[in-house]
Amino acid sequence: MFAVRRLLLSCKQGANQAASFLRGSSRRTQSFNYSQSTRQGGTHGRTDLKPQLPLGTAQTYSRSRARYAAPALALGFTGFLAFLHYNDERRAVPKGQPSRSNSSGCGCGSNTTVRGPIIGGPFTLMSTQNKIVTEKDLRDKWVLLYFGYSFSPDVGPDQLKMISRAVHKLESNHDQKILPVFVTLDPVRDTPSHLHAYLKEYDDRILGLTGSASAMRQMAQEYRVYFKKVQEDGDDYLVDTSHNMYLLNPKMEVVRCFGVEYNPDDLAQEVIKEVTSLSQ
């Protein structure tokens, strides 16, 4: 908001300076014409006290006015766009989280705890076993929720491997069960049968969810997940996404957001911290 105020103040100052310059130019032009008329009047025995504007002065004045008005309008429009962007940025930052320039891919800082039920909402999707799954079915469990797609060439497989290893460490070292859930952002290709075969290669414990395009868009909006088709070549395409990963407590409230910079050890350590803090 401070940047917007500075822009608006600059616009106002620029407009005032332009107006002052134009008024000064007009007075100087009139003074010059008055002096010239006085000298001419002395030569012919009379004094003409009415200032005369030279031919073309009106057009020059109009062009000068437009030249200084255009930058002021441009600055004002820029300030307005900055104001809109500021509001959008505030809406994009979950409550309780600072807006950081060095945030992770999921839109929040690596060590940030989410406060308040701002991210998330109800959903109705289909599991890889062709069963309807809603948010109510995941209650009373700690859930590690990841948004991706099976045709991801690099980041998706790495994230699934990390999730699998972190869940294994939590169970073996801390006796803490975490339900890993994979939500596809490519429901056209990630059918239940295809998603089942894909996730089986990584970990049988991962619950795969898919559904209609409208259902996936709704859930992505509720969980503030960005995704978009890119590099389309018929049925072959990639999906540009933020690869969001959330930790949900047994009340289905998002308590942590993890970026792609984590490794299995770090992820397991951060998860157990949240679980322990809740039980205390």
Side-chain angles (χ1 to χ4, degrees), residues 59 106 126 156 179 183 223 256:
Q59 292 84 347
C106 59
M126 186 72 65
L179 176 62
V183 180
Y223 283 85
R256 283 296 298 271

Side-chain angles (χ1 to χ4, degrees), residues 170-185:
L170 287 167
E171 290 185 0
S172 59
N173 299 341
H174 304 281
D175 194 26
Q176 177 63 52
K177 288 189 176 182
I178 302 292
L179 176 62
V181 178
F182 179 93
V183 180
T184 181
L185 297 172

